[in-house]
Amino acid sequence: MIEISPELQKVLKSARKVAVLTGAGISAESGVPTFRGEEGLWSKFRAEELATVDAFMRNPELVWEWYMHRRQLMSTVKPNPAHAALVEMEKLYDDFTLITQNIDGLHRQAGSKNILELHGNISLNKCFACGRPFTEDIDLESNQLPACECGGKIRPDVVWFGELLPPDALNRAFDASARAELFLSVGTSAVVHPAASIPLTAKSNGAFLVEVNLEPTPITEFTDWAFHGKAGEIMPAIVESLKK
Ligand code: BJW
Ligand code: ZN
């Protein structure tokens, strides 16, 4: 039984401006691996050898192959009840912004509309040399690294460590968090910046801050309410309480 405090229930019902930040944990129940923790990707692979510009310059084939492997996996997964709950939530508020660090596209697949993808999307590619989008279909069965018409190598359109986040999405994310009356941080370890500071921006601008995560994170001490459990169970309970 998931307890929704009367205080939280009141905010859920009275808030008009709502923003949500999601991380890999929201897709874990769909079968997408998270990054950190015992089962996380970074326990098997070294981030600096795969998710940095230096890594791509050193060994583009290896990095491409790793993303192709993850693409194959992500092409088979489906949104879970936590994604569906956020679709429902969006319908209940006039001003609702879904900020995600995830590159898996599951929020869009579930039906969410106002989505800001801070770390890109694994289904998109661009040229490493000239930056132009590369729109040709990628054969999921082949690991062949494609080339741009300029001769440059093609890379996934995701944000690696040390790279800038898409400025428009990031600005809109900070704006939405600054005006939010209610902010939810769902399934993120809240250690990767600048995304991790977005919930704290909301809190310092007066939002009621709620965290939904399996375990405590560096932002837990700043929350008004923290649920420790599975997003796929807690998010539907939150939305149910909103409809009561
Ligand atoms: C569940 C669950 C269930 C499980 N239900 N919960 C300020 C201070 C310190 C460092 C920096 C700083 N500013 C910038 C930096 C450097 C760096 C950074 O933050 N490093 C830290 C690690 C220390 N940031 C950057 O480089 C960023 N760029 C930047 O800031 O540019 C300007 C600049 C550059 C250099 C210096 C200074 C400024 C870019 C960051 C890009 C991150 N990219 C990745 C890879 C994307 C592509 C790919 O997927 O391959 O993004 S890394 C990876 O981490 C991925 C994620 O989006 C991101 C966040 O991870 P997330 O989503 O939180 O996942 P997990 O696994 O960490 O956590 C999951 C949580 O879910 C866990 O807590 C579980 O318990 C929980 N969970 N199942 C609910 N069922
Ligand atoms: Zn090019």
Side-chain angles (χ1 to χ4, degrees):
M1 179 66 187
I2 293 153
E3 188 204 337
I4 309 289
S5 73
E7 193 193 9
L8 172 55
Q9 179 124 15
K10 197 168 146 220
V11 181
L12 279 165
K13 289 198 170 189
S14 63
R16 286 165 302 117
K17 298 171 187 171
V18 177
V20 181
L21 173 70
T22 65
I26 198 168
S27 297
E29 290 161 72
S30 294
V32 182
T34 60
F35 294 91
R36 295 163 188 86
E38 275 173 37
E39 296 295 310
L41 288 171
W42 297 156
S43 70
K44 303 184 189 79
F45 305 97
R46 288 166 63 86
E48 60 274 25
E49 282 168 15
L50 293 161
T52 65
V53 166
D54 281 355
F56 190 78
M57 283 167 63
R58 254 194 323 268
N59 197 342
E61 286 80 15
L62 174 76
V63 173
W64 182 256
E65 212 174 291
W66 188 61
Y67 279 95
M68 286 306 286
H69 167 74
R70 291 175 61 206
R71 270 187 182 137
Q72 282 161 4
L73 184 140
M74 288 180 199
S75 71
T76 64
V77 299
K78 295 272 171 288
N80 67 53
H83 297 102
L86 287 171
V87 177
E88 285 302 299
M89 251 184 132
E90 182 165 22
K91 292 178 189 153
L92 300 170
Y93 296 106
D94 291 337
D95 182 346
F96 183 89
T97 308
L98 176 50
I99 306 157
T100 188
Q101 299 168 83
N102 297 345
I103 61 168
D104 56 31
L106 286 177
H107 286 304
R108 188 158 291 114
Q109 205 180 313
S112 285
K113 299 276 185 281
N114 192 23
I115 309 166
L116 300 174
E117 291 181 320
L118 295 185
H119 292 165
N121 190 304
I122 198 166
S123 68
L124 303 176
N125 296 288
K126 64 181 179 186
C127 175
F128 185 70
C130 73
R132 254 180 295 185
F134 182 79
T135 52
E136 281 176 35
D137 285 343
I138 304 288
D139 178 4
L140 285 181
E141 301 305 318
S142 156
N143 275 339
Q144 188 66 40
L145 179 61
C148 175
E149 24 184 87
C150 82
K153 294 183 166 64
I154 296 302
R155 57 162 287 181
D157 197 354
V158 299
V159 181
W160 287 327
F161 284 114
E163 290 192 296
L164 294 179
L165 278 65
D168 183 52
L170 187 61
N171 287 336
R172 286 168 61 198
F174 274 108
D175 284 352
S177 68
R179 66 175 187 270
E181 293 153 327
L182 169 65
F183 192 101
L184 284 90
S185 176
V186 185
T188 174
S189 59
V191 295
V192 175
H193 288 269
S197 50
I198 293 173
L200 303 179
T201 299
K203 175 73 188 166
S204 60
N205 282 277
F208 190 92
L209 179 57
V210 177
E211 181 176 55
V212 178
N213 206 59
L214 277 189
E215 57 196 354
T217 74
I219 67 162
T220 307
E221 62 175 304
F222 305 103
T223 59
D224 296 289
W225 192 264
F227 293 96
H228 296 308
K230 291 185 173 177
E233 294 168 5
I234 295 162
M235 291 307 296
I238 290 179
V239 175
E240 266 319 297
S241 86
L242 240 173
K243 290 180 179 166
K244 270 185 204 150

